Amino acid sequence: MLQEEGKLSLDDTVGKYIPGLTEGNKVTIRQILSHTSGYQDYWPEDYVMTPMLKPESAQQIIDAWAKKPLDFEPGTQWQYSNTNFVIAGRIVETITGAPLMDMLVTRIFRPLGMKSVWNSDEAKLTSVDASAYYRHALGPLRVAPKEGRGWMFAAGELAMTAHDLALWDESLIAETILKPESYKQMFTEVKLKDGKGTHYGLGVEVRDRDGHRSIEHGGEVSGFVSDNEVLVDDGVAVVVLTNQDAVGAASVITGLAAPAILNAPLAAPEQQAIDIYHGLQLGRIDRTLLAPNLSDYFTPEALSDFQSSLAPLGEPLSFHQTRTELRGGMTFRSFRIVYPGKRLTLTTYTYPDGKLEQYLIAPAE
């Protein structure tokens, strides 16, 4: 937004706006937004460390983590770093002369009707909001500690309802806040100096979900984990907010919900695999699909074991191919089968003539 107004360029060096940073005359704003800067992450841990219980300022974070040697030469690696966002937030404040939240509220949240947004860096959530939890190993859930004021600046201070985050997602789909060229830059995968991809644009993960362009990002603060995926070309978004830290439930739920909402047709190998799966749940197998070895494998005992173990599971939540490669003159495929509280892995080998040489199911590790 500030670049569109001519107040900065993404290719400006960060030292132009914040003095004293390591390689500040070399690292660009584009590199901090794409996590290719080399600045070390001040909070990679999935818990609140003792120093974080006391207040901290953005400048103190910058002084401690952005003035030490870089983890790598800028542009040569991708490494997520909350420090990058703190630097970005301070650049915005330096240019606008106002707190970062003021610009976000005035220029983004209010125009989009996002009324629930709460700056959790300034104050705890209210009593009507979800409580934050964590646990030690497999122990009981315990109330998570609150970070000291200032630690989440520009990196994790935004709290809001799923509804209001969906309003933001709608703006990404409709491209209402920025110009088309800005969204193009934001959603384009940043490449390293050696040409390798990063699966990351400017502040967002950029991936392909079964042929559909996916713009995604997760978030974690003490006691909360979120995931937000926007399939921008399909007009579909999934928002998942959870209230226990250091768990993957948000991304798992997103991974299950997005394909279901897309209602994308299964690829031919997936359709064949699930058709065979349904047959095995009934104790049946179409032997015309099988090469001799696999036909021999499916003895009456094998069919009975497949049926007795799979039939009680019912219909899976999702059934998708996860990997394919060539081996032994055949095509190897791996599939993930998901049930509530249970995951299975299916592996197959297929000859060039389409006959199956393997169809094995096991619990996912």
Side-chain angles (χ1 to χ4, degrees):
M1 189 175 286
L2 293 175
Q3 178 175 255
E4 288 180 358
E5 296 170 355
K7 295 177 179 177
L8 59 72
S9 166
L10 294 183
D11 295 313
D12 286 343
T13 61
V14 293
K16 181 177 179 179
Y17 304 98
I18 302 178
L21 302 183
T22 302
E23 301 286 1
N25 62 343
K26 189 174 182 180
V27 177
T28 66
I29 295 175
R30 190 181 301 276
Q31 287 172 329
I32 63 170
L33 295 181
S34 61
H35 297 294
T36 58
S37 68
Y39 289 120
Q40 191 173 100
D41 190 357
Y42 75 89
W43 190 10
E45 297 87 349
D46 293 309
Y47 66 97
V48 178
M49 299 82 73
T50 302
M52 293 186 68
L53 297 175
K54 298 179 180 180
E56 186 78 310
S57 70
Q59 190 58 51
Q60 287 173 312
I61 291 173
I62 289 172
D63 289 343
W65 277 274
K67 295 184 179 180
K68 60 169 59 177
L70 299 180
D71 281 353
F72 52 85
E73 179 72 13
T76 63
Q77 294 184 44
W78 184 91
Q79 188 178 114
Y80 194 87
S81 174
N82 289 289
T83 307
N84 288 320
F85 287 133
V86 173
I87 296 171
R90 283 296 297 130
I91 290 175
V92 172
E93 292 187 335
T94 299
I95 291 174
T96 63
L100 174 64
M101 281 297 295
D102 286 1
M103 178 178 180
L104 296 178
V105 170
T106 303
R107 305 290 298 274
I108 297 174
F109 303 147
R110 194 173 294 154
L112 294 180
M114 299 168 64
K115 300 177 182 179
S116 73
V117 178
W118 182 274
N119 184 353
S120 61
D121 195 40
E122 291 289 332
K124 290 179 62 175
L125 295 175
T126 69
S127 60
V128 299
D129 291 307
S131 297
Y133 294 100
Y134 78 109
R135 69 185 348 148
H136 301 114
L138 304 181
L141 289 173
R142 300 188 182 278
V143 175
K146 177 75 176 71
E147 305 93 339
R149 184 176 180 273
W151 280 100
M152 295 187 293
F153 169 79
E157 76 270 47
L158 299 183
M160 67 192 73
T161 62
H163 171 273
D164 278 10
L165 187 49
L167 293 177
W168 164 254
D169 292 342
E170 288 181 355
S171 77
L172 295 184
I173 293 167
E175 298 189 350
T176 58
I177 293 292
L178 302 173
K179 296 177 181 178
E181 176 58 29
S182 293
Y183 284 107
K184 181 179 179 181
Q185 291 190 50
M186 183 178 177
F187 297 162
T188 297
E189 179 186 36
V190 171
K191 299 294 181 66
L192 301 176
K193 289 183 177 180
D194 63 4
K196 291 181 180 178
T198 61
H199 298 295
Y200 204 89
L202 302 181
V204 291
E205 294 178 23
V206 181
R207 297 184 181 275
D208 179 276
R209 181 183 285 280
D210 300 323
H212 300 261
R213 190 162 54 122
S214 169
I215 304 301
E216 184 176 6
H217 216 289
E220 180 182 16
V221 295
S222 180
F224 297 99
V225 179
S226 64
D227 197 57
N228 185 47
E229 179 170 5
V230 187
L231 298 149
V232 288
D233 301 323
D234 301 278
V236 168
V238 179
V239 174
V240 182
L241 309 178
T242 62
N243 60 328
Q244 180 188 340
D245 63 15
V247 295
S251 60
V252 170
I253 294 169
T254 302
L256 293 174
I261 294 172
L262 274 176
N263 198 27
L266 296 177
E270 291 175 321
Q271 188 63 59
Q272 182 192 61
I274 197 169
D275 286 345
I276 293 173
Y277 185 85
H278 287 149
L280 290 170
Q281 287 181 308
L282 299 173
R284 298 197 299 258
I285 187 76
D286 181 356
R287 295 186 182 275
T288 65
L289 302 174
L290 314 182
N293 288 334
L294 187 56
S295 184
D296 291 343
Y297 170 85
F298 277 111
T299 61
E301 177 185 83
L303 285 174
S304 176
D305 287 350
F306 270 80
Q307 181 182 17
S308 63
S309 61
L310 299 180
L313 299 178
E315 188 67 18
L317 293 173
S318 68
F319 193 115
H320 287 289
Q321 180 176 306
T322 57
R323 187 160 63 96
T324 181
E325 60 187 48
L326 298 178
R327 184 176 176 186
M330 297 174 286
T331 300
F332 169 83
R333 293 184 176 89
S334 178
F335 301 83
R336 182 179 62 182
I337 306 169
V338 179
Y339 285 96
K342 185 185 293 291
R343 294 187 186 189
L344 307 176
T345 297
L346 162 66
T347 57
T348 66
Y349 277 104
T350 308
Y351 284 110
D353 65 2
K355 296 287 187 178
L356 286 165
E357 176 71 3
Q358 177 169 301
Y359 191 101
L360 300 181
I361 292 175
E365 296 182 355

